[in-house]
Amino acid sequence: ILQLSFYFLFQVEFSYPPIIPGAGHDSNTLPEEWKYLPFLALPDGAHNHQEDTVYFHLPPLDGQQKCVYGVSCYRQMEAKALKVREADITRETVQKSVCVLSQLPLFGLIQAKLQLITHAYFEEKDFSQISILKELYDHMNRSLSCTALEGSQIYLGLSARDLILHFKHKVLILFKLILLEKKILFYVTPVKRLVETLMTVLSLFPGIIEHGLADSSHYQPRRSISEDFSSPEIISADEESLSMSTTDITNISKELEGRYDVSDQPDQSKPCNTTLDTHYLQPHAGSLLDSECEWETLEPHVMDEMEGKVDVAHSNMFDTDSGLPITVQPQSATGQGMLTSGLISGLQEDQYGLPLAIFTKGYLCMPYMALQQHHLLSDISVRGFVAGATNILFRQQRHLSDAIVDVDEARIQIHDPELRKMLYLSTADLRFADYLVKHVTENKEDVFLDGTGWEGGDEWIRAQFGLYIHSLLSSALQQDHERLLADYGTAFTSAWKITHNYRVWISNKHLAMASITPGHPFQGQYSVADVKIRLSHSMQNSERGKKIGNAVMSTSRSVVQTGKAVGQSVGGALTVAKSAMSSWFSMLAQPTAAVSASPQSAD
């Protein structure tokens, strides 16, 4: 069910049907829950771009339960180009936005249609011609339904290949950050790139976009500056969500098990009813930049273990040049036709208990956050968020976020040393990330692939992350789970086990998990190839590695020039350069223990 609105100067000029029942189409009155709507539809810095697209989430209205998904396309044009210039147009440039509100998270599909209509509407050069907007509303209501959530249309415009090519192994770090339910802020301009990057990361989680965002926007707009401090009735969402132990949740589950009959649930495989009253939408800093990457360095225990555990017979087992023996297969049984309402999460879950209940209990997902919503970063009722912003003020307030993702530079800024420790990529994780990057990069220049092929394509990438999360969950169920989970990182899994999403998932039985092989998909003995992967990872992505790499290049040039000056052969000079490079690599491993013990003193 869609609602179409039209914005100018941060107020509603037209909505069809009226947002508030009984109000006129031209009423600019908004429900209190949606008072930020005009600022979301016309984002910060809109004047810097001729046109752009915004994805955003709105909280449900009173009596409703589900998040409302918004897509806005805005344009600007010179006022003198208008055929009919209305009295309220007093500036030389006109900015307007056409926005669609939907019950379904079909962002890319809606944006593709909306962008065309917005362009055609501006080409009329007469903003009183609103018939085209009414036709758009009717067309979308006829053509969109819940069945669209079951196909690949929901991922339209979300390129997992581009995400891997840009962030490389750091995609796995982002994946783990969200699993830990941390406060994550994405930052870049323009807005379209921001929201598409954020939503593409979420698309790696099985079922999250389709069914996992229903509770992702449950927040209360602030009525006054002092409201956060004057209301004694507000309870911390962290305290509320963690007040129930796993035993308590299990007891609740057992109590309900006897009277919970799946046959009593509505058939989720049937198209949802989209017939509603059309008069009302019923939504069913500097020091940090120098040291931020120091945590992406060598694992000290790995280097120690490598000395005595490298097996020459297995030296090529994970060598990317000779190919990998592991063929990661997709999970074909996603349970789309067997969805049931989770006993505790309330989300529509498949037979594996997915999507995980990440965006529930005050953990927000906001693809775009307006400056007027800045208070949500420190709101006591918000325990965490994955949010996108284009205003520099969000980035400067880095103490309000656990991680800031600079999309332009593919940089993840994390100031908490404990969190950096949790996010160290294990050897098995690095194999997995290297496997993804290798297959995506090999097909980078294939003009026939274009993201639609299988191996190295978008669906293939999501299948690999699907296997990763299935294997992680399966490992957590085994008796020797500590040994199996070690390949995912001991610090990470320890932190993950106290998150809300894990405790909700583990409290229920998911019989289909018996078909999933436990253990990391890329577990195995250490090899020489692992050293090469880890060295490459550290050299390319840590500040220390980059400095050493530059020093190596400088040393090599100096040695070659010196060799020529004294009459030595080029081959001899290169031999000396190679020896210098080996010395630099030896130095690389030396300060690692100090970094782990005291990351702040890494410089």
Side-chain angles (χ1 to χ4, degrees), residues 494-515:
S494 297
W496 175 57
K497 284 184 177 180
I498 63 174
T499 61
H500 178 70
N501 72 80
Y502 173 81
R503 298 198 323 189
V504 168
W505 184 86
I506 201 68
S507 66
N508 289 321
K509 294 181 179 180
H510 309 289
L511 300 180
M513 292 302 301
S515 63

Side-chain angles (χ1 to χ4, degrees), residues 358-602:
I358 297 175
F359 296 102
T360 58
K361 279 286 185 179
Y363 191 74
L364 305 182
C365 175
M366 307 184 72
Y368 172 72
M369 177 182 284
L371 183 59
Q372 290 73 14
Q373 297 175 301
H374 183 271
H375 68 278
L376 292 175
L377 298 184
S378 56
D379 195 314
I380 194 173
S381 64
V382 175
R383 64 185 179 89
F385 53 81
V386 177
T390 59
N391 194 300
I392 191 65
L393 293 177
F394 284 95
R395 186 174 180 178
Q396 291 173 345
Q397 299 291 318
R398 58 194 183 201
H399 63 282
L400 299 178
S401 304
D402 295 317
I404 298 178
V405 183
D406 187 325
V407 177
D408 251 342
E409 299 183 11
R411 186 196 303 265
I412 305 173
Q413 302 175 14
I414 299 176
H415 55 269
D416 181 7
E418 289 301 317
L419 180 55
R420 291 200 296 266
K421 184 178 179 181
M422 296 174 194
L423 296 171
Y424 279 125
L425 292 185
S426 67
T427 298
D429 278 345
L430 282 177
R431 292 169 181 167
F432 172 69
D434 189 65
Y435 179 74
L436 293 175
V437 173
K438 173 178 178 289
H439 281 73
V440 172
T441 304
E442 284 180 349
N443 296 311
K444 181 179 179 180
E445 304 300 330
D446 190 345
V447 296
F448 297 103
L449 181 62
D450 193 28
T452 60
W454 173 239
E455 189 165 322
D458 292 340
E459 293 303 315
W460 179 86
I461 293 170
R462 293 187 180 98
Q464 312 318 306
F465 278 94
L467 178 64
Y468 185 93
I469 194 67
H470 280 86
S471 301
L472 174 63
L473 293 170
S474 179
S475 300
L477 294 174
Q478 309 305 312
Q479 291 185 348
D480 57 343
H481 60 275
E482 292 185 1
R483 178 183 64 83
L484 294 171
L485 292 175
D487 284 319
Y488 295 92
T490 303
F492 165 74
T493 53
S494 297
W496 175 57
K497 284 184 177 180
I498 63 174
T499 61
H500 178 70
N501 72 80
Y502 173 81
R503 298 198 323 189
V504 168
W505 184 86
I506 201 68
S507 66
N508 289 321
K509 294 181 179 180
H510 309 289
L511 300 180
M513 292 302 301
S515 63
I516 305 298
T517 303
H520 199 292
F522 284 80
Q523 62 185 346
Q525 291 181 304
Y526 294 123
S527 69
V528 173
D530 294 326
V531 178
K532 183 175 74 172
I533 294 174
R534 187 164 290 282
L535 283 173
S536 175
H537 158 66
S538 182
M539 291 292 291
Q540 294 176 11
N541 300 287
S542 68
E543 289 301 310
R544 180 185 294 105
K546 291 176 182 178
K547 292 177 182 178
I548 293 177
N550 293 333
V552 168
M553 294 300 296
S554 178
T555 302
S556 301
R557 286 193 297 267
S558 299
V559 171
V560 171
Q561 291 173 359
T562 303
K564 290 180 179 180
V566 299
Q568 294 179 350
S569 65
V570 175
L574 291 176
T575 301
V576 177
K578 181 178 180 181
S579 177
M581 292 176 67
S582 299
S583 299
W584 279 111
F585 279 116
S586 298
M587 292 175 61
L588 178 64
Q590 296 302 320
T592 303
V595 172
S596 299
S598 181
Q600 299 300 335
S601 61

